[in-house]
Amino acid sequence: MIGTLVTPQEVVPQGTVLIQNGRILASGADVKLPAGTKVVHTDGVIAPGLIDLHNHLTWNVLPRWKPIQEFGSRYDWQQKPISKILLTVPHDALVKEGLECEMERYAEVKAISEGETSVTGSPHLSCVHGLARNLDYDPELDGSFGHLGKILYDVFPFQMSEPELIAAKEVLSAQPRGALLIHVAEGAPNDASAAREFTMLKGRGLLRPGVSLIHGVALKPEDFAEMAKQDVGFIWSPRSNIELYGDTANVAAAQSAGVRIALAPDWSPTGSDGLLGELNYASIWNQTQSPPLFTERDLVLMATSNAAELVGLSGQLGSLAAGHAADLMVVRKSGQDAYWSLTHASPQDLQLVLIGGVPMYGDPAIFEQLTGSQGERLEVCGTPKAVVVGAKSLAETEKTLDDALHQFGTKLAPLAECGN
């Protein structure tokens, strides 16, 4: 595949990615192609697939919730009648009706249509396999990548029982070391109950390598300094933070302390539809800072190589380097440079997504060129796309979910916001 390559180290204006058996064999400006290699020329930016370390996937079937107030912590909005009416009741009813697999499949198509090739926050069901890589639950991952550390994703780490806590610590002590992604200090910057969770975290012995904190809006500069000393990572979700709590985490302090930061969308009810959208939001937020904290390249790394490092997969994902899984995306060139194209790409700009070298989503023309098949056709923001979903079509899944949500006076969330 030929186009503008984005690697963690550089941009290659006219580069080649050579793929074989689901892996990248070589990439760069001077790649020699074996005889008979199928060559696909793109006019786009070829980048590693995006890695989403913070989501709640089955909830992404629900339309956006735009709160009319800001909250002190997650415990505040979770108790509001409106959040139960719009979110909890319909979500739990669909699960009770046996539609969790359909919810997950739709959410994964939504993720892939945002350039994501790896996700977290999936239900532990066998039906979820076959689209995006489910990093926190996919028994095939270990066989594909060799022996890996286990990745745990926990929304409520302070509710872990003692046996669960012991098991988590064993994962963090194993060889190779696993990862624990936990929601901590989620609330307004000055909310005392949210800030107290960092002390509780230390009390449970979870401030240690392999742990990454999600949200962390109430964390203080000294907390980030302590995290850096313990090699604890941070997962930043600015859009959801600002919509719910009026502000986001002190990423300036995290950056200054040397904490490794990944970017993730949270969920589409109050966050972004996916990582392309979150990159766009983070870039706009960054421009409001004086001076800006990050470069466009910094933001791209947060969604690719930084995320891979936090879960111990830096040798497998998040890069176009030889030996890595052939998880990549192609976006249309626009604006100033390749990194800017990625941080400002719309759903319409996503031309192709490969997972393990297999085309999963993209523009119909390039999709057919690669596969010889048209795939299932759909429209995203008025732009034709093609997708491979499996035995049950996306159209069938959409109708099933939309019919089920009708009883709650609502509709299935669209795949993309389309600039609304």
Side-chain angles (χ1 to χ4, degrees):
M1 185 171 296
I2 298 173
T4 299
L5 308 187
V6 169
T7 74
Q9 294 77 27
E10 61 181 341
V11 172
V12 182
Q14 188 67 10
T16 300
V17 180
L18 178 60
I19 297 170
Q20 186 177 73
N21 297 326
R23 293 275 177 174
I24 297 172
L25 287 185
S27 65
D30 301 305
V31 175
K32 293 182 179 180
L33 301 181
T37 300
K38 186 171 187 175
V39 179
V40 177
H41 291 268
T42 78
D43 294 323
V45 176
I46 304 173
L50 305 180
I51 301 170
D52 182 355
L53 297 186
H54 174 209
N55 217 308
H56 308 274
L57 287 158
T58 56
W59 296 80
N60 291 343
V61 303
L62 301 172
R64 285 197 66 74
W65 173 40
K66 298 182 179 179
I68 58 173
Q69 67 179 103
E70 295 170 0
F71 301 97
S73 74
R74 65 178 171 191
Y75 308 107
D76 295 335
W77 63 262
Q78 287 173 348
Q79 298 305 313
K80 293 289 183 181
I82 190 65
S83 78
K84 295 179 180 179
I85 292 169
L86 296 180
L87 300 177
T88 309
V89 169
H91 175 272
D92 292 354
L94 264 61
V95 171
K96 190 174 182 179
E97 287 179 33
L99 296 177
E100 200 167 14
C101 287
E102 285 83 355
M103 296 160 77
E104 175 68 20
R105 300 292 275 185
Y106 184 75
E108 288 195 26
V109 172
K110 195 169 189 172
I112 292 169
S113 74
E114 288 267 338
E116 297 181 23
T117 52
S118 296
V119 297
T120 54
S122 303
H124 289 193
L125 299 169
S126 60
C127 64
V128 305
H129 304 309
L131 287 174
R133 297 188 190 277
N134 303 97
L135 298 183
D136 53 328
Y137 180 69
D138 187 347
E140 296 178 2
L141 273 180
D142 204 39
S144 301
F145 293 163
H147 182 48
L148 296 177
K150 192 171 183 179
I151 299 168
L152 303 177
Y153 178 86
D154 199 322
V155 180
F156 299 109
F158 304 110
Q159 295 179 13
M160 282 193 288
S161 65
E162 280 305 310
E164 289 171 334
L165 181 61
I166 291 169
K169 290 179 179 179
E170 288 175 351
V171 165
L172 295 171
S173 302
Q175 292 296 326
R177 188 181 69 203
L180 176 63
L181 316 178
I182 50 178
H183 293 55
V184 174
E186 181 187 349
N190 295 315
D191 185 81
S193 63
R196 180 172 172 265
E197 289 189 343
F198 189 74
T199 302
M200 296 167 63
L201 182 77
K202 292 192 291 183
R204 301 212 83 182
L206 289 176
L207 197 69
R208 55 196 295 171
V211 173
S212 291
L213 309 191
I214 298 169
H215 285 300
V217 186
L219 294 176
K220 308 305 179 190
E222 55 269 28
D223 299 334
F224 284 113
E226 198 166 352
M227 287 167 60
K229 290 179 182 177
Q230 299 298 328
D231 196 22
V232 171
F234 182 64
I235 301 169
W236 180 39
S237 298
R239 181 170 183 176
S240 190
N241 294 162
I242 289 171
E243 292 208 8
L244 290 171
Y245 311 115
D247 205 348
T248 191
N250 189 346
V251 283
Q255 181 191 48
S256 178
V259 173
R260 189 170 302 282
I261 304 171
L263 183 73
D266 191 355
W267 61 351
S268 52
T270 61
S272 297
D273 282 321
L275 256 173
L276 276 184
E278 194 71 1
L279 276 168
N280 198 312
Y281 190 92
S283 179
I284 295 170
W285 176 89
N286 188 52
Q287 292 167 36
T288 68
Q289 307 304 297
S290 185
L293 296 175
F294 308 112
T295 65
E296 304 300 321
R297 176 179 179 272
D298 291 334
L299 296 174
V300 171
L301 296 187
M302 290 180 192
T304 55
S305 57
N306 283 15
E309 286 201 35
L310 291 187
V311 290
L313 291 173
S314 58
Q316 307 287 348
L317 303 176
S319 172
L320 299 183
H324 282 61
D327 293 2
L328 55 84
M329 64 175 180
V330 181
V331 301
R332 207 176 317 278
K333 285 183 185 175
S334 62
Q336 303 168 22
D337 60 25
Y339 293 113
W340 195 96
S341 295
L342 292 170
T343 58
H344 291 76
S346 69
Q348 300 96 308
D349 295 324
L350 186 61
Q351 297 177 303
L352 181 68
V353 175
L354 299 182
I355 301 179
V358 178
M360 299 297 294
Y361 177 89
D363 290 346
I366 191 170
F367 198 88
E368 190 166 1
Q369 182 184 357
L370 281 167
T371 66
S373 165
Q374 293 186 345
E376 181 180 353
R377 294 298 181 93
L378 68 156
E379 275 200 1
V380 175
C381 302
T383 304
K385 299 291 179 184
V387 67
V388 174
V389 183
K392 189 171 185 179
S393 71
L394 178 62
E396 291 176 296
T397 298
E398 287 177 320
K399 185 177 188 311
T400 299
L401 293 171
D402 202 45
D403 288 348
L405 287 167
H406 181 72
Q407 64 185 302
F408 301 101
T410 189
K411 294 182 177 181
L412 177 66
L415 285 175
E417 288 188 82
C418 306
N420 293 333

